[in-house]
Amino acid sequence: MIKHNLLLLYRNFRRFRGTFFINLIGLSTGLTCALLIWLWVSDELGVDKFHENDSQLFQVMINQNRPDGIVTTGEGPALLAEALQQEMPEIEYAVGASPIDNYFTLSGDPEKHITALGQFADKDFFTIFSYPLLQGDKKKALTDKHAIVISETTAMALFGTTQNIIGRSVEWQAPHVKRQVTVTGIFKDLPVNSSNQFDFMLAYESYKELLGGGLHWGNLNAITYVQLQPGTDLAQFNNKIEGLVKRKAKDSNLTIFLKPYSENYLYGNYDNGKVAGGRIAYVRLFSLIAIFIVIIACINFMNLATAKASRRIREVGIKKAIGAARQTLILQYLAESMLMTFVSLALAIFMVDLLLPQFNAITGKQLTFSPNISLVLSLVGITLFTGLLAGSYPALYLSRFSPAVVLKGKLHNQVGEQWARKGLVVFQFALSVIFIVSVLVINRQISYVQTKNLGYNKDNILYFNTEGRVTEQLETFLTEVRNVPGVVNASSMWGNLSGLTGFTTGSFDWEGRNDDEIVQFEHLGVNYDILEMLGIEMVEGRTFSRNHANETKKVILNEAAIEVMGLKDPVGKIFNLWGNDLEIIGIARNFHFKSLHENVKPFFVRLTPNEFSRVLVKIEGGKEKETIARLQKLYKAFNPGFAFDHGFLDDEYQAQYITEKRVASLSEYFAALAILISCLGLFGLAAFTAERRLKEIGIRKVLGASTTGIVLLLSRDFTKIVVTAIVIALPVSYFITTQWLNDFAFRITLAWWYFAGAGAIAMVIAWITVGTQSLKAARVNPTQCLKDE
């Protein structure tokens, strides 16, 4: 019986080759898309889930009350971990850690230096997190403040081996800080699905020493992780700790709560103190896209199967006449669908294996397509879903015909069936139009954020972190850099423009300040000439100048700061910072020192020529290559043993939108796939329509109808279907793109031509698809159509 059914399936596929290949291409393309997205979604959902104590592992989040609402951050006071450990018996471990935002210079040999990403953390860090130590004791590795734990890769870079290096000395250097430490452990290179990536770990006690006067409850300069005791009620515990910081610092405006650590990656956005999504939005979005693309492919199967029903009615009638039950026919047609799906799956797996490197490049992932229980079950699930979805309607449709009717060769299409088929095509093209609009809007917004005037000039400015002799003799180095041909200017700063340091309001004061007012400022420490080099405009006053004395006692604020402070005629007035009176000498025009997702915040600039973390060099346009080569030569001579690792401000700015760029790229590919699959279905339907109307076409041509008239006649119904799809899709696409743009404080205005253009593109594609088949039918010789009459 199975052999008989397989033979029938083979014969049907051979008989309807065109339909077979259209369905094969459509289904395999849809499944390829679904499998790639499934790999990406599985990886996203698995980030940080590998820790053994995942269900008890939390991060302390900080809520700040500010005039514009509640701001939530993952950084709080460095004293918080110790206080929680001592005062809360529900906590098994509390671990403080520094933010990971700076690279350090490491050297195990005076002649060899490497740049690595490091962090400071409490002694229990490797106890609560599942980062296995290959050597060393996880409970003791960070107890000594002079300890360092390094990764396998870092060990190889420093010593050329991972053997017998426990106890060896390493020197680490950050701006203005240099310490000698001892290797106490080696950890296995971190998995790619860890959101926290670092190359080495230093003791938290050393970090507290570095903070010095900044070690108080008013500063947000540390991350706190906790592991709760089993059975602890999270809601009750959050109520218990909410006011802890306020009890420690009476003037504090901070409240705290715990959030599951593994949720931070996907649910990282907050709105007025409440979780407002994050990367989970893209996980849901692309999951829906995968489902919709598979549905579009299934619609092709349904439509083409029912469209060719007139060519299979005698088969149905004969089988029913000799006793075949309807259930038997349903199983046969479902078997056809399943076989088609499994063949498509085999082709899809081949395509996934072929396309995975390119997909990884687009998504920035390291996905692999390796067999495992989860993958096999998912493949079976996707295949069954697709096969049943694609085959259910044709099976039920074909198996219901009456033998007495179908053996006469007559099949009367009911109005409901015709509308169902048209409705499916409308659904296909509506989704395609939504994809097209989304691609247009996303790309336009990305172009907008890339080209918008930020209020400063980031072009042709390279930067590199200060280390070695550069840190010790900065002014001498800057003088030599300025003398390099092709260099316009050079200066230094503390921090960077895309990640400025925030301070609490307890450290600030000014004339007329309301004591109850909560304001947070962003801060940048700069050297002379930096504001001029960046092209930051002054609304009032002046920038820092070597022609004036005591410039380190002066401050420049931006327009947003003056507005929130409520100062009138601010130049010359006093801005008190940490008890120090600073004279306001200038007001800078607002510029975007963070991404365009956010409004410009209050900001001030101080002159800190002796405090710096990076050097900025502006070079002449068109001379980048030779100037960088000269700078590299100078750096090697001035700072022997250190690599000239540099970047460009423009690239650093663009990196803030890497997620949006990836979404834009993926959207383009998915839109193209959706349109391709939709057009395949439309192509097949147009071919069947033309075939059924061949005699009508012949008669019309005999009566004098032109080729153009016949093409228009055959295209008319499909044009109506596509127009209906466009009308339905445009308001839906407007809603979707508006929601996405709302994530940006600065965004494009949705213009009518985005939607009109998408509709026009869909219409032209549909006309070309249908027109090729209509033109082919219209050119048929009437004698060929009518010779059997």
Side-chain angles (χ1 to χ4, degrees):
M1 186 66 180
I2 296 176
K3 182 179 179 181
H4 173 70
N5 285 332
L6 289 174
L7 180 61
L8 288 177
L9 294 175
Y10 172 71
R11 287 175 176 173
N12 280 321
F13 288 156
R14 285 195 62 185
R15 184 182 175 193
F16 304 108
R17 287 190 185 91
T19 304
F20 171 75
F21 284 111
I22 288 175
N23 281 332
L24 179 64
I25 294 172
L27 283 175
S28 61
T29 302
L31 287 172
T32 300
C33 174
L35 289 176
L36 287 172
I37 290 179
W38 180 86
L39 289 173
W40 181 81
V41 168
S42 297
D43 186 80
E44 289 286 285
L45 294 177
V47 170
D48 291 332
K49 294 289 186 181
F50 61 90
H51 296 290
E52 293 178 9
N53 303 311
D54 177 53
S55 61
Q56 298 161 255
L57 192 56
F58 298 85
Q59 180 174 344
V60 180
M61 305 300 292
I62 311 296
N63 277 337
Q64 277 188 307
N65 290 303
R66 287 169 41 175
D68 54 347
I70 299 174
V71 175
T72 304
T73 177
E75 296 181 18
L79 298 169
L80 186 56
E82 184 179 358
L84 286 170
Q85 184 78 73
Q86 292 176 353
E87 300 178 23
M88 302 295 163
E90 297 90 344
I91 291 178
E92 190 169 358
Y93 297 104
V95 172
S98 65
I100 300 184
D101 56 5
N102 281 313
Y103 282 87
F104 293 67
T105 301
L106 299 182
S107 59
D109 182 319
E111 301 300 321
K112 187 176 183 180
H113 302 83
I114 67 168
T115 301
L117 190 60
Q119 188 177 23
F120 297 86
D122 261 333
K123 57 184 177 61
D124 293 318
F125 182 86
F126 288 104
T127 300
I128 69 172
F129 289 105
S130 300
Y131 300 123
L133 289 189
L134 302 177
Q135 298 176 40
D137 186 339
K138 66 180 181 180
K139 292 183 178 295
K140 299 178 180 179
L142 292 173
T143 53
D144 189 330
K145 70 178 181 180
H146 300 297
I148 184 172
V149 184
I150 60 179
S151 69
E152 294 174 276
T153 300
T154 305
M156 290 298 297
L158 285 172
F159 305 108
T161 180
T162 59
Q163 302 300 316
N164 302 318
I165 62 173
I166 300 295
R168 294 186 66 172
S169 294
V170 172
E171 183 181 81
W172 66 264
Q173 180 181 343
H176 313 294
V177 183
K178 186 185 293 185
R179 294 284 189 276
Q180 200 79 17
V181 290
T182 301
V183 178
T184 57
I186 302 175
F187 60 86
K188 187 176 181 180
D189 285 342
L190 303 186
V192 293
N193 62 340
S194 172
S195 63
N196 194 11
Q197 294 288 329
F198 51 89
D199 301 312
F200 65 92
M201 189 67 69
L202 297 166
Y204 196 56
E205 290 304 313
S206 180
Y207 181 60
K208 289 181 178 179
E209 283 188 3
L210 292 175
L211 288 176
L215 187 63
H216 59 77
W217 288 98
N219 267 359
L220 309 183
N221 45 22
I223 303 170
T224 303
Y225 306 107
V226 302
Q227 182 178 318
L228 291 182
Q229 298 282 1
T232 302
D233 185 282
L234 180 61
Q236 291 181 6
F237 186 71
N238 277 334
N239 289 333
K240 182 177 180 179
I241 65 172
E242 182 180 14
L244 176 66
V245 179
K246 289 184 177 180
R247 294 195 294 271
K248 299 293 182 180
K250 301 302 182 184
D251 60 343
S252 174
N253 67 319
L254 306 179
T255 58
I256 64 174
F257 66 96
L258 298 189
K259 179 181 181 180
Y261 174 74
S262 58
E263 290 185 7
N264 273 332
Y265 179 75
L266 291 176
Y267 300 88
N269 293 348
Y270 289 82
D271 182 16
N272 202 30
K274 302 294 183 182
V275 175
R279 293 182 67 90
I280 189 64
Y282 291 120
V283 170
R284 292 168 178 162
L285 171 65
F286 287 120
S287 298
L288 283 174
I289 287 174
I291 292 171
F292 282 140
I293 288 181
V294 170
I295 289 174
I296 290 173
C298 292
I299 287 172
N300 285 352
F301 191 98
M302 297 178 194
N303 274 343
L304 294 177
T306 54
K308 70 179 182 182
S310 61
R311 299 170 64 180
R312 299 189 68 176
I313 56 173
R314 285 189 175 86
E315 173 194 337
V316 175
I318 292 171
K319 286 187 175 182
K320 281 198 168 186
I322 62 175
R326 186 182 184 191
Q327 291 83 354
T328 304
L329 295 174
I330 289 175
L331 288 176
Q332 177 192 336
Y333 296 128
L334 284 177
E336 286 186 22
S337 172
M338 285 296 179
L339 182 60
M340 169 64 73
T341 307
F342 274 103
V343 172
S344 300
L345 177 64
L347 182 58
I349 291 173
F350 171 76
M351 293 299 295
V352 167
D353 190 58
L354 186 67
L355 296 174
L356 198 55
Q358 289 79 11
F359 188 73
N360 281 335
I362 294 170
T363 59
K365 294 281 188 179
Q366 298 179 32
L367 305 176
T368 57
F369 192 70
S370 53
N372 54 61
I373 295 298
S374 175
L375 178 59
V376 171
L377 291 176
S378 299
L379 288 176
V380 172
I382 291 173
T383 304
L384 290 175
F385 170 78
T386 306
L388 290 173
L389 181 63
S392 57
Y393 179 67
L396 296 172
Y397 176 79
L398 290 170
S399 64
R400 71 176 176 79
F401 297 143
S402 169
V405 175
V406 297
L407 287 177
K408 296 178 182 179
K410 297 180 179 179
L411 178 63
H412 300 288
N413 289 326
Q414 297 180 4
V415 174
E417 294 165 359
Q418 295 178 18
W419 276 108
R421 194 177 305 150
K422 292 178 180 179
L424 292 173
V425 176
V426 167
F427 180 78
Q428 280 184 316
F429 267 87
L431 287 176
S432 297
V433 172
I434 291 171
F435 280 135
I436 294 171
V437 172
S438 299
V439 167
L440 291 175
V441 172
I442 290 173
N443 280 292
R444 187 70 187 89
Q445 175 66 17
I446 295 300
S447 175
Y448 173 77
V449 300
Q450 289 175 329
T451 58
K452 177 177 169 57
N453 182 4
L454 302 176
Y456 71 94
N457 185 0
K458 61 185 186 304
D459 298 332
N460 298 321
I461 296 180
L462 63 81
Y463 67 88
F464 50 89
N465 294 330
T466 55
E467 52 190 1
R469 188 181 166 204
V470 173
T471 303
E472 299 164 0
Q473 301 178 29
L474 178 69
E475 285 304 321
T476 302
F477 176 71
L478 289 178
T479 300
E480 293 192 26
V481 169
R482 294 184 188 111
N483 292 329
V484 171
V487 170
V488 177
N489 205 342
S491 189
S492 62
M493 68 164 58
W494 180 274
N496 62 77
L497 290 173
S498 60
L500 301 180
T501 305
F503 295 95
T504 60
T505 54
S507 303
F508 306 108
D509 201 5
W510 59 86
E511 179 185 318
R513 175 176 176 261
N514 184 348
D515 291 339
D516 297 327
E517 191 173 17
I518 307 298
V519 181
Q520 183 182 22
F521 289 85
E522 303 285 347
H523 163 248
L524 192 67
V526 302
N527 203 343
Y528 291 106
D529 303 327
I530 196 81
L531 298 181
E532 290 82 355
M533 187 167 66
L534 293 171
I536 294 174
E537 297 182 21
M538 302 299 295
V539 178
E540 295 182 48
R542 62 176 179 85
T543 60
F544 301 112
S545 171
R546 294 180 178 85
N547 297 325
H548 292 80
N550 297 323
E551 291 290 85
T552 55
K553 298 294 185 182
K554 314 290 175 60
V555 67
I556 296 172
L557 294 98
N558 69 349
E559 294 174 292
I562 297 302
E563 182 179 352
V564 77
M565 292 163 67
L567 285 178
K568 303 295 183 183
D569 300 321
V571 175
K573 292 186 177 178
I574 299 301
F575 180 73
N576 187 277
L577 171 63
W578 302 323
N580 298 313
D581 288 339
L582 305 178
E583 180 189 354
I584 301 173
I585 62 169
I587 310 302
R589 191 175 301 280
N590 283 340
F591 66 94
H592 297 276
F593 48 82
K594 289 196 174 182
S595 80
L596 297 184
H597 286 285
E598 304 179 42
N599 287 309
V600 178
K601 292 181 171 58
F603 165 79
F604 68 87
V605 188
R606 289 186 64 200
L607 183 70
T608 57
N610 297 320
E611 297 177 15
F612 44 84
S613 61
R614 60 167 51 180
V615 170
L616 272 65
V617 182
K618 186 172 181 62
I619 57 182
E620 292 183 36
K623 298 182 178 180
E624 293 87 354
K625 187 176 181 179
E626 55 266 39
T627 305
I628 292 174
R630 296 185 189 111
L631 287 172
Q632 191 168 15
K633 183 178 180 180
L634 169 64
Y635 192 88
K636 186 176 180 180
F638 192 92
N639 214 19
F642 291 86
F644 183 58
D645 295 324
H646 67 280
F648 282 88
L649 278 190
D650 186 58
D651 294 333
E652 187 175 57
Y653 170 77
Q654 301 297 347
Q656 298 177 97
Y657 306 102
I658 189 66
T659 299
E660 287 77 10
K661 290 179 182 178
R662 287 170 179 165
V663 169
S665 296
L666 289 174
S667 298
E668 290 174 4
Y669 288 111
F670 294 148
L673 289 175
I675 294 168
L676 169 65
I677 298 171
S678 298
C679 288
L680 282 173
L682 200 60
F683 180 87
L685 285 177
F688 276 109
T689 300
E691 184 179 341
R692 285 201 307 267
R693 300 180 69 176
L694 273 179
K695 288 184 175 61
E696 176 191 344
I697 293 169
I699 293 171
R700 287 180 179 274
K701 293 197 76 173
V702 168
L703 295 175
S706 66
T707 299
T708 303
I710 292 174
V711 170
L712 293 175
L713 173 69
L714 295 176
S715 304
R716 186 180 303 153
D717 286 344
F718 291 105
T719 300
K720 292 177 182 177
I721 292 173
V722 176
V723 168
T724 303
I726 293 171
V727 171
I728 293 172
L730 293 185
V732 176
S733 60
Y734 177 82
F735 173 79
I736 292 172
T737 51
T738 299
Q739 293 300 309
W740 183 76
L741 288 172
N742 283 341
D743 287 338
F744 291 86
F746 298 87
R747 53 187 179 267
I748 61 171
T749 301
L750 287 176
W752 64 269
W753 64 265
Y754 297 125
F755 306 95
I761 291 171
M763 196 74 256
V764 169
I765 292 173
W767 276 337
I768 293 173
T769 304
V770 175
T772 54
Q773 283 301 309
S774 300
L775 185 60
K776 179 181 177 181
R779 287 178 172 175
V780 171
N781 191 328
T783 58
Q784 296 288 329
C785 306
L786 303 174
K787 65 181 179 179
D788 60 337
E789 293 296 329

